[in-house]
Amino acid sequence: MTSSHTDCHFCLQSLRGRKYTLRGENAYCVPCYNSLYANPCEECKQPIECNSKDLAYKGRHWHEGCFRCAKCSRSLVEKPFAAKDEVLLCTECYSDEYSSKCFHCQKTIMPGSRKMEFKGSSWHESCFVCQYCQQPLGTKPLITKDNENYCVPCFEKQFAHHCYACKKVITSGGLTYNDQPWHKECFVCAVCKAQLSRQRFISKDEYPHCVECFSKFYSKKCAACKKPITALGGAKYISFEERQWHGECFNCAKCSVSLVGQEFLTRQNDILCHKCGSA
């Protein structure tokens, strides 16, 4: 011992033959050290003397024997613990009181373990998986259906509609035609490829056609005016011996009276009312 440690730095009494402790470069007798520097225990409020082990957590101090769970009183020395409102709890008591329950397995998510949060609920990381492929979702994009989570590829494989035209997945929007899903941009006239999602169309062989193309390629021609008969809007037409007329064109060739719902006669290619036909 050097000469600088022969006396207590505070009370100046000799340290020869007495226990003492060092603080920095200065020596103190035990009573002086305890009165000057011993931390008060959070539990028992007594000083933690130099011959006792001082356990510290976030600026607070405990005797080794006082460092216990506030609920079950089990020792927390060298054991995992958690703090709630400055109260120390063992992990079991903390879990019972405060820990979240996993949305999937309903078991407690223990403090210190990683948990996933989604739509206000919590999961164990190992429970937060795609319902179909069972692979962890982590922070990947996901889609929820019937309270089950799916990664995007599995959801598309299982549930997404595929466009009848291009066979690709319809991720948003789309429309239905002949009980089949279509992208709006794929719903086009089978002949001229004009988009039909916002215009009138006519079906032919399970495919849509714009009015112009249908009239040009498929409509029957009126025997009177020679224009296509499209039947759009519920328009009526008359058919007789493989010839067709618009309702408004089905008139007597001589006096022009309408023959719709009336008896008529034919003479060569003409149709005549009963009066003109009998004259």
Side-chain angles (χ1 to χ4, degrees), residues 97-138:
E97 291 290 323
Y98 305 111
S99 289
S100 304
K101 296 291 190 295
C102 176
F103 183 84
H104 178 74
C105 70
Q106 295 304 308
K107 294 181 180 179
T108 298
I109 302 175
M110 299 297 289
S113 61
R114 188 175 181 188
K115 72 176 180 179
M116 310 302 296
E117 299 279 351
F118 180 65
K119 289 188 175 179
S121 298
S122 302
W123 280 261
H124 291 111
E125 186 177 22
S126 58
C127 291
F128 195 58
V129 298
C130 170
Q131 177 67 18
Y132 185 73
C133 70
Q134 296 300 306
Q135 294 300 306
L137 290 169

Side-chain angles (χ1 to χ4, degrees), residues 144-158:
T144 300
K145 179 178 174 62
D146 299 331
N147 288 328
E148 299 289 357
N149 300 319
Y150 298 84
C151 63
V152 173
C154 286
F155 182 87
E156 292 180 349
K157 184 186 297 182
Q158 291 294 106

Side-chain angles (χ1 to χ4, degrees), residues 21-47:
T21 188
L22 295 175
R23 183 177 175 86
E25 296 182 353
N26 300 317
Y28 296 84
C29 64
V30 171
C32 287
Y33 182 88
N34 289 339
S35 64
L36 292 172
Y37 301 115
N39 295 304
C41 175
E42 287 287 328
E43 179 63 23
C44 70
K45 310 306 179 185
Q46 297 300 311

Side-chain angles (χ1 to χ4, degrees), residues 162-204:
H162 291 73
C163 177
Y164 184 74
C166 71
K167 310 306 179 187
K168 295 181 180 179
V169 171
I170 300 174
T171 56
S172 63
L175 53 86
T176 300
Y177 168 69
N178 279 349
D179 295 326
Q180 298 292 347
W182 299 64
H183 289 114
K184 287 184 178 180
E185 59 271 22
C186 293
F187 192 63
V188 298
C189 172
V191 178
C192 70
K193 307 304 179 186
Q195 285 200 4
L196 301 175
S197 59
R198 294 187 177 180
Q199 61 176 293
R200 296 200 293 182
F201 61 89
I202 302 172
S203 178
K204 172 68 175 174

